Amino acid sequence: MTVPPLEALPIEELRRRSSTKWRAFPDDVLPLFVAETDFPLAPAITERLRTAVELGDTGYTPPEPGLRAAYSGFAERRFGWQIEQSGIRSTGDVIMGVVELLRHTISPGDRVLITPPVYPPFYDCIPEAGGEVETVPLVETEEGWSLDLLGIEAAFAGGARAMLLCNPHNPTGTVHSRETLAELADIAAGFGAVIISDEIHAPLVHAPTVFTPFLSASKVAAAVGYAVTSASKAYNLAGLKCALMLTASPETTEVVKAMPAEVEWRTGLFGALAGVAAFDPQSDDWLDAMKATLDQNRRLLADLLATHLPKARYRIPDAGYLAWIDLSACGWGDDPADKILRETKVALHHGSAFGEGGSGYVRLNFGCSPEVLTEAITRIGALAG
């Protein structure tokens, strides 16, 4: 059954929010920078949090809040993946999980691969865990963005010990195929390296593209890999602090089990409660409605750019609500987000923050109403003349 698209909240109501998106800039700025969305929460989440507040249920997170069962059911329904509940452990957020996994899989000074342009915190979490950043940029072809497997193999041959995989990829919205992931796993295994996959945008993959969890790509992937995910991006729960570290082999599961108890204690109770409600089947219709809206918006953005900003270069993303837009041809410098904010009052994410390949780009969040998206691109288009 097809569900109708989800409607964004009125902007007057959104401006009452106290989160980063709505407090970083004055009210005359349209904020399309940070990865927060403008929709009402899934009803099951609202009800669960409302009940907790009414009960004063604001204490410590219990050892088993129901996340393991909820996520394993979600993964089977949405991805066709059967993950053992013993391979699921929670922590505060995805980057916290990445840092802890690196601390337990690399030695100080080991090089860790990332694939720019990529999520900016990747550059910081590797040194936090004692590693050194090594980059193997994505390759762009006429078909889209892809991993440079030959470059990754050369980096592992040169001594790199681990890789942070972003799948789906932020900011390009690329979803790596099962075949690519299996080949990546084989390469890592050949050098005794580890793959840590950030899969936070996985619930928002748009048809006909199919999401493959890295750990399910092959038996080798299960052996060399770890994954970290959360309900926070799809369901707009970032402030509640709950993420999941995932494993699919006895050896990797033991690595996560050996982490200090404090790693799991960092899970927020409201994050756990909301995560269970998000992954429950009763929230599936809401998620499908959200995806329907984002599907419309990602295509609307292409039309708006063609009309108002024809020099822009934009590939419709396969996942999520983040658009990676090349504005180099507009002549607005290496960091066009600065000029756009200053002269049009539209806040976009700085492409340069994503590393190599980010010069001349902006990242735009289209998880908003069509009206807000249209207004933003119209303003930017006027700047182009």
Side-chain angles (χ1 to χ4, degrees):
M1 181 181 69
T2 302
V3 298
L6 198 64
E7 291 190 10
L9 295 168
I11 195 164
E12 297 79 12
E13 187 171 341
L14 292 166
R15 291 199 186 281
R16 295 171 54 201
R17 290 182 173 180
S18 58
S19 61
T20 292
K21 183 174 185 179
W22 299 100
R23 287 292 179 267
F25 298 100
D27 283 355
D28 60 345
V29 171
L30 288 179
L32 302 181
F33 67 112
V34 73
E36 299 179 23
T37 54
D38 294 355
F39 306 100
L41 292 178
I45 295 174
T46 300
E47 183 58 31
R48 187 66 189 88
L49 295 178
R50 178 184 293 116
T51 299
V53 171
E54 290 173 350
L55 292 173
D57 188 8
T58 54
Y60 292 110
T61 306
E64 181 44 77
L67 284 165
R68 294 178 176 87
Y71 183 77
S72 63
F74 179 86
E76 185 166 6
R77 292 194 315 278
R78 307 300 293 203
F79 311 140
W81 178 35
Q82 294 181 331
I83 179 174
E84 297 290 336
Q85 292 186 35
S86 60
I88 304 172
R89 191 176 185 189
S90 70
T91 190
D93 57 41
V94 160
I95 291 300
M96 191 179 294
V98 168
V99 170
E100 294 301 331
L101 287 168
L102 284 173
R103 282 175 175 158
H104 286 78
T105 56
I106 67 170
S107 298
D110 280 350
R111 300 199 308 279
V112 180
L113 306 182
I114 59 174
T115 55
V118 74
Y119 185 49
F122 276 18
Y123 293 92
D124 297 324
C125 68
I126 292 171
E128 183 180 347
E132 297 182 2
V133 174
E134 183 169 348
T135 61
V136 181
L138 291 182
V139 175
E140 186 180 16
T141 67
E142 291 184 1
E143 288 74 36
W145 299 87
S146 62
L147 296 174
D148 179 1
L149 293 174
L150 290 177
I152 291 168
E153 183 173 17
F156 282 143
R161 304 306 304 148
M163 173 180 169
L164 296 189
L165 173 69
C166 200
N167 181 42
H169 192 88
N170 176 2
T172 67
T174 301
V175 178
H176 303 300
S177 69
R178 180 179 297 275
E179 293 74 21
T180 295
L181 297 175
E183 188 172 352
L184 174 63
D186 288 343
I187 293 169
F191 295 97
V194 167
I195 306 293
I196 299 173
S197 185
D198 172 356
E199 301 183 350
I200 197 170
H201 293 276
L204 297 177
V205 172
H206 304 295
T209 303
V210 175
F211 173 72
T212 300
F214 178 76
L215 300 180
S216 75
S218 68
K219 290 183 179 179
V220 175
V224 303
Y226 301 82
V228 189
T229 192
S230 173
S232 63
K233 287 293 186 286
Y235 299 88
N236 204 42
L237 304 174
L240 301 187
K241 294 301 176 184
C242 176
L244 302 175
M245 298 176 290
L246 311 176
T247 54
S249 77
E251 293 77 16
T252 55
T253 297
E254 284 304 312
V255 170
V256 175
K257 282 184 177 179
M259 290 180 179
E262 187 62 31
V263 173
E264 195 157 22
W265 271 103
R266 295 168 186 159
T267 308
L269 177 57
F270 273 27
L273 297 176
V276 170
F279 294 135
D280 190 272
Q282 64 184 322
S283 293
D284 282 356
D285 284 350
W286 182 95
L287 180 59
D288 289 337
M290 167 77 146
K291 290 172 64 175
T293 298
L294 298 181
D295 183 35
Q296 290 180 357
N297 281 359
R298 66 179 180 149
R299 300 176 191 280
L300 172 62
L301 178 57
D303 293 339
L304 290 169
L305 290 172
T307 299
H308 298 281
L309 207 57
K311 290 183 179 180
R313 194 166 62 92
Y314 159 66
R315 293 183 183 277
I316 295 177
D318 291 328
Y321 46 81
L322 304 173
W324 188 234
I325 306 171
D326 183 1
L327 298 179
S328 300
C330 296
W332 295 341
D334 293 340
D335 191 4
D338 277 343
K339 181 179 179 68
I340 290 169
L341 175 61
R342 185 172 60 252
E343 300 190 27
T344 74
K345 303 297 184 181
V346 176
L348 305 177
H349 207 317
H350 304 273
S352 57
F354 295 82
E356 296 169 64
S359 178
Y361 278 80
V362 295
R363 194 192 73 178
L364 178 149
N365 177 349
F366 56 84
C368 57
S369 69
E371 294 77 15
V372 167
L373 184 59
T374 300
E375 172 64 19
I377 300 304
T378 300
R379 289 188 194 182
I380 299 171
L383 180 62

